[in-house]
PDB file of all heavy atoms in Angstrom:
ATOM      1  N   GLY A 220      -6.934 -21.102 -42.226  1.00 95.00           N
ATOM      2  CA  GLY A 220      -6.200 -21.030 -43.481  1.00 95.00           C
ATOM      3  C   GLY A 220      -6.600 -19.839 -44.329  1.00 95.00           C
ATOM      4  O   GLY A 220      -7.691 -19.276 -44.174  1.00 95.00           O
ATOM      5  N   ILE A 221      -5.706 -19.445 -45.206  1.00 96.00           N
ATOM      6  CA  ILE A 221      -5.961 -18.410 -46.213  1.00 96.00           C
ATOM      7  C   ILE A 221      -5.632 -19.017 -47.573  1.00 96.00           C
ATOM      8  O   ILE A 221      -4.670 -19.781 -47.714  1.00 96.00           O
ATOM      9  CB  ILE A 221      -5.070 -17.172 -45.981  1.00 96.00           C
ATOM     10  CG1 ILE A 221      -5.329 -16.545 -44.615  1.00 96.00           C
ATOM     11  CG2 ILE A 221      -5.281 -16.130 -47.087  1.00 96.00           C
ATOM     12  CD1 ILE A 221      -4.320 -15.471 -44.235  1.00 96.00           C
ATOM     13  N   LYS A 222      -6.427 -18.698 -48.574  1.00 95.00           N
ATOM     14  CA  LYS A 222      -6.101 -19.132 -49.929  1.00 95.00           C
ATOM     15  C   LYS A 222      -6.469 -18.036 -50.922  1.00 95.00           C
ATOM     16  O   LYS A 222      -7.247 -17.119 -50.605  1.00 95.00           O
ATOM     17  CB  LYS A 222      -6.831 -20.429 -50.283  1.00 95.00           C
ATOM     18  CG  LYS A 222      -8.344 -20.313 -50.344  1.00 95.00           C
ATOM     19  CD  LYS A 222      -8.970 -21.647 -50.732  1.00 95.00           C
ATOM     20  CE  LYS A 222     -10.493 -21.523 -50.830  1.00 95.00           C
ATOM     21  NZ  LYS A 222     -11.124 -22.818 -51.214  1.00 95.00           N
ATOM     22  N   GLU A 223      -5.882 -18.132 -52.097  1.00 95.00           N
ATOM     23  CA  GLU A 223      -6.236 -17.179 -53.147  1.00 95.00           C
ATOM     24  C   GLU A 223      -7.633 -17.497 -53.677  1.00 95.00           C
ATOM     25  O   GLU A 223      -8.063 -18.649 -53.710  1.00 95.00           O
ATOM     26  CB  GLU A 223      -5.232 -17.245 -54.298  1.00 95.00           C
ATOM     27  CG  GLU A 223      -3.869 -16.673 -53.988  1.00 95.00           C
ATOM     28  CD  GLU A 223      -3.000 -16.571 -55.225  1.00 95.00           C
ATOM     29  OE1 GLU A 223      -3.567 -16.454 -56.336  1.00 95.00           O
ATOM     30  OE2 GLU A 223      -1.765 -16.621 -55.096  1.00 95.00           O
ATOM     31  N   THR A 224      -8.333 -16.452 -54.091  1.00 94.00           N
ATOM     32  CA  THR A 224      -9.628 -16.656 -54.740  1.00 94.00           C
ATOM     33  C   THR A 224      -9.401 -17.269 -56.124  1.00 94.00           C
ATOM     34  O   THR A 224      -8.300 -17.186 -56.688  1.00 94.00           O
ATOM     35  CB  THR A 224     -10.373 -15.312 -54.886  1.00 94.00           C
ATOM     36  OG1 THR A 224      -9.530 -14.388 -55.585  1.00 94.00           O
ATOM     37  CG2 THR A 224     -10.721 -14.735 -53.521  1.00 94.00           C
ATOM     38  N   GLU A 225     -10.423 -17.887 -56.641  1.00 92.00           N
ATOM     39  CA  GLU A 225     -10.288 -18.542 -57.945  1.00 92.00           C
ATOM     40  C   GLU A 225      -9.887 -17.551 -59.029  1.00 92.00           C
ATOM     41  O   GLU A 225      -9.105 -17.869 -59.924  1.00 92.00           O
ATOM     42  CB  GLU A 225     -11.609 -19.231 -58.323  1.00 92.00           C
ATOM     43  CG  GLU A 225     -11.901 -20.456 -57.471  1.00 92.00           C
ATOM     44  CD  GLU A 225     -13.124 -21.207 -57.968  1.00 92.00           C
ATOM     45  OE1 GLU A 225     -13.669 -20.827 -59.037  1.00 92.00           O
ATOM     46  OE2 GLU A 225     -13.538 -22.175 -57.299  1.00 92.00           O
ATOM     47  N   ALA A 226     -10.434 -16.355 -58.947  1.00 91.00           N
ATOM     48  CA  ALA A 226     -10.074 -15.317 -59.919  1.00 91.00           C
ATOM     49  C   ALA A 226      -9.543 -14.105 -59.153  1.00 91.00           C
ATOM     50  O   ALA A 226     -10.303 -13.404 -58.478  1.00 91.00           O
ATOM     51  CB  ALA A 226     -11.294 -14.918 -60.751  1.00 91.00           C
ATOM     52  N   VAL A 227      -8.236 -13.902 -59.242  1.00 92.00           N
ATOM     53  CA  VAL A 227      -7.630 -12.747 -58.576  1.00 92.00           C
ATOM     54  C   VAL A 227      -7.933 -11.503 -59.393  1.00 92.00           C
ATOM     55  O   VAL A 227      -7.729 -11.491 -60.621  1.00 92.00           O
ATOM     56  CB  VAL A 227      -6.108 -12.938 -58.430  1.00 92.00           C
ATOM     57  CG1 VAL A 227      -5.457 -11.695 -57.831  1.00 92.00           C
ATOM     58  CG2 VAL A 227      -5.806 -14.157 -57.578  1.00 92.00           C
ATOM     59  N   PRO A 228      -8.459 -10.442 -58.747  1.00 92.00           N
ATOM     60  CA  PRO A 228      -8.835  -9.229 -59.485  1.00 92.00           C
ATOM     61  C   PRO A 228      -7.672  -8.615 -60.259  1.00 92.00           C
ATOM     62  O   PRO A 228      -6.501  -8.819 -59.944  1.00 92.00           O
ATOM     63  CB  PRO A 228      -9.319  -8.287 -58.376  1.00 92.00           C
ATOM     64  CG  PRO A 228      -9.731  -9.189 -57.262  1.00 92.00           C
ATOM     65  CD  PRO A 228      -8.796 -10.356 -57.323  1.00 92.00           C
ATOM     66  N   GLU A 229      -8.016  -7.853 -61.277  1.00 91.00           N
ATOM     67  CA  GLU A 229      -7.021  -7.171 -62.094  1.00 91.00           C
ATOM     68  C   GLU A 229      -6.240  -6.171 -61.243  1.00 91.00           C
ATOM     69  O   GLU A 229      -6.781  -5.576 -60.311  1.00 91.00           O
ATOM     70  CB  GLU A 229      -7.718  -6.454 -63.262  1.00 91.00           C
ATOM     71  CG  GLU A 229      -6.766  -5.889 -64.291  1.00 91.00           C
ATOM     72  CD  GLU A 229      -7.512  -5.216 -65.439  1.00 91.00           C
ATOM     73  OE1 GLU A 229      -8.755  -5.123 -65.356  1.00 91.00           O
ATOM     74  OE2 GLU A 229      -6.843  -4.793 -66.399  1.00 91.00           O
ATOM     75  N   HIS A 230      -4.975  -6.008 -61.539  1.00 93.00           N
ATOM     76  CA  HIS A 230      -4.060  -5.086 -60.843  1.00 93.00           C
ATOM     77  C   HIS A 230      -3.692  -5.568 -59.441  1.00 93.00           C
ATOM     78  O   HIS A 230      -3.103  -4.815 -58.657  1.00 93.00           O
ATOM     79  CB  HIS A 230      -4.642  -3.668 -60.745  1.00 93.00           C
ATOM     80  CG  HIS A 230      -5.012  -3.075 -62.065  1.00 93.00           C
ATOM     81  ND1 HIS A 230      -4.103  -2.898 -63.082  1.00 93.00           N
ATOM     82  CD2 HIS A 230      -6.225  -2.620 -62.525  1.00 93.00           C
ATOM     83  CE1 HIS A 230      -4.712  -2.345 -64.127  1.00 93.00           C
ATOM     84  NE2 HIS A 230      -5.999  -2.175 -63.819  1.00 93.00           N
ATOM     85  N   VAL A 231      -4.045  -6.800 -59.086  1.00 95.00           N
ATOM     86  CA  VAL A 231      -3.755  -7.331 -57.746  1.00 95.00           C
ATOM     87  C   VAL A 231      -2.792  -8.514 -57.865  1.00 95.00           C
ATOM     88  O   VAL A 231      -2.984  -9.393 -58.718  1.00 95.00           O
ATOM     89  CB  VAL A 231      -5.046  -7.776 -57.015  1.00 95.00           C
ATOM     90  CG1 VAL A 231      -4.700  -8.507 -55.717  1.00 95.00           C
ATOM     91  CG2 VAL A 231      -5.926  -6.569 -56.720  1.00 95.00           C
ATOM     92  N   THR A 232      -1.799  -8.538 -57.005  1.00 95.00           N
ATOM     93  CA  THR A 232      -0.861  -9.665 -56.924  1.00 95.00           C
ATOM     94  C   THR A 232      -0.834 -10.156 -55.485  1.00 95.00           C
ATOM     95  O   THR A 232      -0.577  -9.366 -54.567  1.00 95.00           O
ATOM     96  CB  THR A 232       0.561  -9.249 -57.340  1.00 95.00           C
ATOM     97  OG1 THR A 232       0.520  -8.711 -58.666  1.00 95.00           O
ATOM     98  CG2 THR A 232       1.506 -10.441 -57.290  1.00 95.00           C
ATOM     99  N   VAL A 233      -1.095 -11.433 -55.273  1.00 96.00           N
ATOM    100  CA  VAL A 233      -1.073 -12.015 -53.929  1.00 96.00           C
ATOM    101  C   VAL A 233       0.301 -12.632 -53.685  1.00 96.00           C
ATOM    102  O   VAL A 233       0.773 -13.463 -54.472  1.00 96.00           O
ATOM    103  CB  VAL A 233      -2.177 -13.082 -53.757  1.00 96.00           C
ATOM    104  CG1 VAL A 233      -2.092 -13.710 -52.360  1.00 96.00           C
ATOM    105  CG2 VAL A 233      -3.559 -12.451 -53.968  1.00 96.00           C
ATOM    106  N   GLU A 234       0.922 -12.215 -52.585  1.00 96.00           N
ATOM    107  CA  GLU A 234       2.268 -12.684 -52.244  1.00 96.00           C
ATOM    108  C   GLU A 234       2.209 -13.548 -50.983  1.00 96.00           C
ATOM    109  O   GLU A 234       1.793 -13.070 -49.929  1.00 96.00           O
ATOM    110  CB  GLU A 234       3.196 -11.482 -52.000  1.00 96.00           C
ATOM    111  CG  GLU A 234       3.301 -10.547 -53.191  1.00 96.00           C
ATOM    112  CD  GLU A 234       3.986  -9.232 -52.838  1.00 96.00           C
ATOM    113  OE1 GLU A 234       4.085  -8.907 -51.636  1.00 96.00           O
ATOM    114  OE2 GLU A 234       4.413  -8.530 -53.775  1.00 96.00           O
ATOM    115  N   PRO A 235       2.605 -14.829 -51.062  1.00 97.00           N
ATOM    116  CA  PRO A 235       2.576 -15.690 -49.879  1.00 97.00           C
ATOM    117  C   PRO A 235       3.664 -15.305 -48.883  1.00 97.00           C
ATOM    118  O   PRO A 235       4.783 -14.965 -49.274  1.00 97.00           O
ATOM    119  CB  PRO A 235       2.825 -17.087 -50.452  1.00 97.00           C
ATOM    120  CG  PRO A 235       3.562 -16.849 -51.728  1.00 97.00           C
ATOM    121  CD  PRO A 235       3.058 -15.545 -52.271  1.00 97.00           C
ATOM    122  N   LEU A 236       3.340 -15.365 -47.591  1.00 97.00           N
ATOM    123  CA  LEU A 236       4.298 -15.051 -46.524  1.00 97.00           C
ATOM    124  C   LEU A 236       4.597 -16.271 -45.667  1.00 97.00           C
ATOM    125  O   LEU A 236       5.759 -16.575 -45.390  1.00 97.00           O
ATOM    126  CB  LEU A 236       3.749 -13.923 -45.641  1.00 97.00           C
ATOM    127  CG  LEU A 236       3.455 -12.591 -46.339  1.00 97.00           C
ATOM    128  CD1 LEU A 236       2.813 -11.620 -45.345  1.00 97.00           C
ATOM    129  CD2 LEU A 236       4.722 -11.990 -46.914  1.00 97.00           C
ATOM    130  N   LEU A 237       3.542 -16.977 -45.242  1.00 97.00           N
ATOM    131  CA  LEU A 237       3.685 -18.156 -44.377  1.00 97.00           C
ATOM    132  C   LEU A 237       2.806 -19.255 -44.935  1.00 97.00           C
ATOM    133  O   LEU A 237       1.654 -19.006 -45.313  1.00 97.00           O
ATOM    134  CB  LEU A 237       3.266 -17.823 -42.937  1.00 97.00           C
ATOM    135  CG  LEU A 237       3.920 -16.608 -42.277  1.00 97.00           C
ATOM    136  CD1 LEU A 237       3.241 -16.299 -40.939  1.00 97.00           C
ATOM    137  CD2 LEU A 237       5.406 -16.839 -42.073  1.00 97.00           C
ATOM    138  N   GLU A 238       3.314 -20.502 -44.945  1.00 97.00           N
ATOM    139  CA  GLU A 238       2.561 -21.582 -45.571  1.00 97.00           C
ATOM    140  C   GLU A 238       2.731 -22.879 -44.780  1.00 97.00           C
ATOM    141  O   GLU A 238       3.815 -23.171 -44.267  1.00 97.00           O
ATOM    142  CB  GLU A 238       3.054 -21.784 -47.006  1.00 97.00           C
ATOM    143  CG  GLU A 238       2.223 -22.770 -47.810  1.00 97.00           C
ATOM    144  CD  GLU A 238       2.739 -22.902 -49.234  1.00 97.00           C
ATOM    145  OE1 GLU A 238       3.966 -23.066 -49.419  1.00 97.00           O
ATOM    146  OE2 GLU A 238       1.927 -22.832 -50.166  1.00 97.00           O
ATOM    147  N   THR A 239       1.648 -23.649 -44.696  1.00 97.00           N
ATOM    148  CA  THR A 239       1.703 -24.963 -44.059  1.00 97.00           C
ATOM    149  C   THR A 239       2.118 -26.011 -45.102  1.00 97.00           C
ATOM    150  O   THR A 239       2.236 -25.716 -46.290  1.00 97.00           O
ATOM    151  CB  THR A 239       0.345 -25.341 -43.457  1.00 97.00           C
ATOM    152  OG1 THR A 239      -0.619 -25.471 -44.525  1.00 97.00           O
ATOM    153  CG2 THR A 239      -0.134 -24.280 -42.479  1.00 97.00           C
ATOM    154  N   SER A 240       2.304 -27.239 -44.645  1.00 96.00           N
ATOM    155  CA  SER A 240       2.708 -28.300 -45.569  1.00 96.00           C
ATOM    156  C   SER A 240       1.494 -28.868 -46.297  1.00 96.00           C
ATOM    157  O   SER A 240       0.344 -28.598 -45.938  1.00 96.00           O
ATOM    158  CB  SER A 240       3.414 -29.416 -44.799  1.00 96.00           C
ATOM    159  OG  SER A 240       2.465 -30.201 -44.103  1.00 96.00           O
ATOM    160  N   ASP A 241       1.757 -29.701 -47.306  1.00 94.00           N
ATOM    161  CA  ASP A 241       0.642 -30.344 -48.020  1.00 94.00           C
ATOM    162  C   ASP A 241       0.039 -31.483 -47.204  1.00 94.00           C
ATOM    163  O   ASP A 241      -0.928 -32.122 -47.629  1.00 94.00           O
ATOM    164  CB  ASP A 241       1.101 -30.841 -49.392  1.00 94.00           C
ATOM    165  CG  ASP A 241       2.290 -31.785 -49.304  1.00 94.00           C
ATOM    166  OD1 ASP A 241       2.709 -32.113 -48.161  1.00 94.00           O
ATOM    167  OD2 ASP A 241       2.801 -32.182 -50.361  1.00 94.00           O
ATOM    168  N   LYS A 242       0.601 -31.741 -46.006  1.00 95.00           N
ATOM    169  CA  LYS A 242       0.036 -32.748 -45.102  1.00 95.00           C
ATOM    170  C   LYS A 242      -0.908 -32.129 -44.069  1.00 95.00           C
ATOM    171  O   LYS A 242      -1.436 -32.835 -43.214  1.00 95.00           O
ATOM    172  CB  LYS A 242       1.154 -33.485 -44.372  1.00 95.00           C
ATOM    173  CG  LYS A 242       2.060 -34.297 -45.289  1.00 95.00           C
ATOM    174  CD  LYS A 242       3.140 -35.007 -44.488  1.00 95.00           C
ATOM    175  CE  LYS A 242       4.052 -35.828 -45.391  1.00 95.00           C
ATOM    176  NZ  LYS A 242       5.119 -36.509 -44.605  1.00 95.00           N
ATOM    177  N   SER A 243      -1.126 -30.829 -44.152  1.00 95.00           N
ATOM    178  CA  SER A 243      -2.005 -30.163 -43.192  1.00 95.00           C
ATOM    179  C   SER A 243      -3.458 -30.266 -43.648  1.00 95.00           C
ATOM    180  O   SER A 243      -3.750 -30.554 -44.809  1.00 95.00           O
ATOM    181  CB  SER A 243      -1.609 -28.693 -43.052  1.00 95.00           C
ATOM    182  OG  SER A 243      -1.735 -28.016 -44.295  1.00 95.00           O
ATOM    183  N   PHE A 244      -4.369 -30.018 -42.713  1.00 95.00           N
ATOM    184  CA  PHE A 244      -5.801 -30.008 -43.033  1.00 95.00           C
ATOM    185  C   PHE A 244      -6.514 -29.062 -42.080  1.00 95.00           C
ATOM    186  O   PHE A 244      -5.972 -28.666 -41.041  1.00 95.00           O
ATOM    187  CB  PHE A 244      -6.404 -31.417 -42.961  1.00 95.00           C
ATOM    188  CG  PHE A 244      -6.337 -32.043 -41.598  1.00 95.00           C
ATOM    189  CD1 PHE A 244      -7.401 -31.915 -40.700  1.00 95.00           C
ATOM    190  CD2 PHE A 244      -5.230 -32.797 -41.200  1.00 95.00           C
ATOM    191  CE1 PHE A 244      -7.344 -32.508 -39.437  1.00 95.00           C
ATOM    192  CE2 PHE A 244      -5.174 -33.388 -39.948  1.00 95.00           C
ATOM    193  CZ  PHE A 244      -6.229 -33.237 -39.062  1.00 95.00           C
ATOM    194  N   ALA A 245      -7.735 -28.669 -42.441  1.00 93.00           N
ATOM    195  CA  ALA A 245      -8.526 -27.744 -41.630  1.00 93.00           C
ATOM    196  C   ALA A 245      -9.725 -28.482 -41.055  1.00 93.00           C
ATOM    197  O   ALA A 245     -10.524 -29.054 -41.802  1.00 93.00           O
ATOM    198  CB  ALA A 245      -8.985 -26.558 -42.470  1.00 93.00           C
ATOM    199  N   ARG A 246      -9.839 -28.482 -39.728  1.00 91.00           N
ATOM    200  CA  ARG A 246     -10.940 -29.179 -39.043  1.00 91.00           C
ATOM    201  C   ARG A 246     -11.990 -28.165 -38.594  1.00 91.00           C
ATOM    202  O   ARG A 246     -11.715 -27.264 -37.799  1.00 91.00           O
ATOM    203  CB  ARG A 246     -10.387 -29.946 -37.842  1.00 91.00           C
ATOM    204  CG  ARG A 246     -11.434 -30.544 -36.903  1.00 91.00           C
ATOM    205  CD  ARG A 246     -12.322 -31.584 -37.581  1.00 91.00           C
ATOM    206  NE  ARG A 246     -11.576 -32.648 -38.216  1.00 91.00           N
ATOM    207  CZ  ARG A 246     -11.217 -33.774 -37.585  1.00 91.00           C
ATOM    208  NH1 ARG A 246     -11.525 -33.956 -36.315  1.00 91.00           N
ATOM    209  NH2 ARG A 246     -10.561 -34.707 -38.241  1.00 91.00           N
TER     210      ARG A 246
END
């Protein structure tokens, strides 16, 4: 998985491309 950091640095915008469902989990 990939996630945004708690504090995104200044001048940076994170754009999602592909996303799993809220029923997914990481083992």
Side-chain angles (χ1 to χ4, degrees):
I221 300 170
K222 65 179 181 180
E223 288 189 27
T224 55
E225 289 187 6
V227 176
E229 189 179 5
H230 304 301
V231 172
T232 303
V233 178
E234 302 168 343
L236 300 175
L237 307 171
E238 187 179 48
T239 64
S240 76
D241 56 4
K242 296 180 180 179
S243 61
F244 62 93
R246 171 62 54 89

